[in-house]
Amino acid sequence: MEHPHRVVLLAGPSGSGKSYIAQQTGLPVLCLDDFYKDGDDPTLPRRNGQVDWESPHSWDAPSAVEIIAQLAREGRADVPVYAIGADRRVATRPFDVAGSPLFVAEGIFAAEIVEECRRRGLLAGAYALRRPRGATFVRRLARDLSEQRKAPRVLFRRGVALLRAEPAVLRRQMGLGAEAARAREVLRRVAGLLAGHPHG
């Protein structure tokens, strides 16, 4: 079945600028971070007694795929709104692809659903955003502090851990089917997809 809309999945390490680059494409953008599980979900993975929010098992992949499938078919859906500070979904909001043949779904776990989206005919492209690690560390820490996501010492400790883990994160995302690309390359590939789309 040919869907009237298809998704471009944009993965990459935390703080690599996925949201910014997604907005730069000019396409409607679905934030996949809104599909985290609630903090009291018994299926959440734990490490040293704490919820492991860096694990893909802290994220509701089936729900994300179903919303993407609905958007591909119908062009609109009600999507969750997640408050990271509260560790839970707090509302829903309408999301509309505004007649665009493509939309972007961005988030650290976007690569986890590449294969399923491809299998269901939903996928236009999948990329893992690659940036210099130091720049990503600074960008991530500034963002998390400004949004008051957690206590500053927690954010700094998490940032150092993510800095060390970043090469492994990218390797995993590439292994799941996302193509590693720098920001300029992502924008060029998306422009190419749009130009080649029969409804673009």
Side-chain angles (χ1 to χ4, degrees), residues 13-190:
S14 175
S16 56
K18 296 179 293 296
S19 300
Y20 175 75
I21 295 304
Q23 296 292 342
Q24 292 295 106
T25 66
L27 297 173
V29 178
L30 178 67
C31 177
L32 293 176
D33 285 357
D34 284 325
F35 292 88
Y36 271 106
K37 296 176 181 176
D38 286 348
D40 57 0
D41 189 315
T43 67
L44 280 171
R46 293 186 174 272
R47 182 193 298 169
N48 302 324
Q50 301 293 316
V51 173
D52 182 6
W53 295 108
E54 313 307 326
S55 166
H57 299 295
S58 67
W59 188 68
D60 189 353
S63 289
V65 171
E66 287 308 316
I67 290 290
I68 288 170
Q70 185 179 343
L71 290 168
R73 288 191 312 268
E74 303 168 21
R76 61 178 58 85
D78 287 331
V79 303
V81 176
Y82 195 95
I84 289 179
D87 294 338
R88 66 183 53 257
R89 299 180 188 188
V90 294
T92 60
R93 66 179 179 89
F95 183 89
D96 194 315
V97 303
S100 172
L102 301 177
F103 63 98
V104 178
E106 63 85 13
I108 188 173
F109 298 129
E112 304 292 325
I113 57 175
V114 169
E115 193 50 48
E116 182 63 11
C117 286
R118 180 179 287 122
R119 186 185 72 78
R120 295 172 64 162
L122 309 172
L123 189 69
Y127 308 101
L129 190 58
R130 182 176 57 190
R131 284 186 184 272
R133 289 167 65 195
T136 299
F137 172 80
V138 171
R139 175 193 292 268
R140 178 174 53 237
L141 188 60
R143 176 202 66 192
D144 291 351
L145 286 170
S146 70
E147 295 179 6
Q148 300 180 334
R149 293 187 169 200
K150 304 285 180 186
R153 61 184 175 78
V154 172
L155 294 174
F156 184 81
R157 194 164 59 238
R158 173 178 176 268
V160 171
L162 290 174
L163 178 69
R164 292 175 178 149
E166 195 165 306
V169 169
L170 269 173
R171 281 196 302 272
R172 174 180 172 81
Q173 292 177 349
M174 292 166 62
L176 289 167
E179 178 186 350
R182 298 201 180 275
R184 196 173 303 171
E185 294 170 327
V186 171
L187 294 174
R188 189 167 62 243
R189 303 287 172 79
V190 171

Side-chain angles (χ1 to χ4, degrees), residues 4-17:
H5 314 279
R6 290 193 302 156
V7 68
V8 175
L9 293 173
L10 183 58
S14 175
S16 56

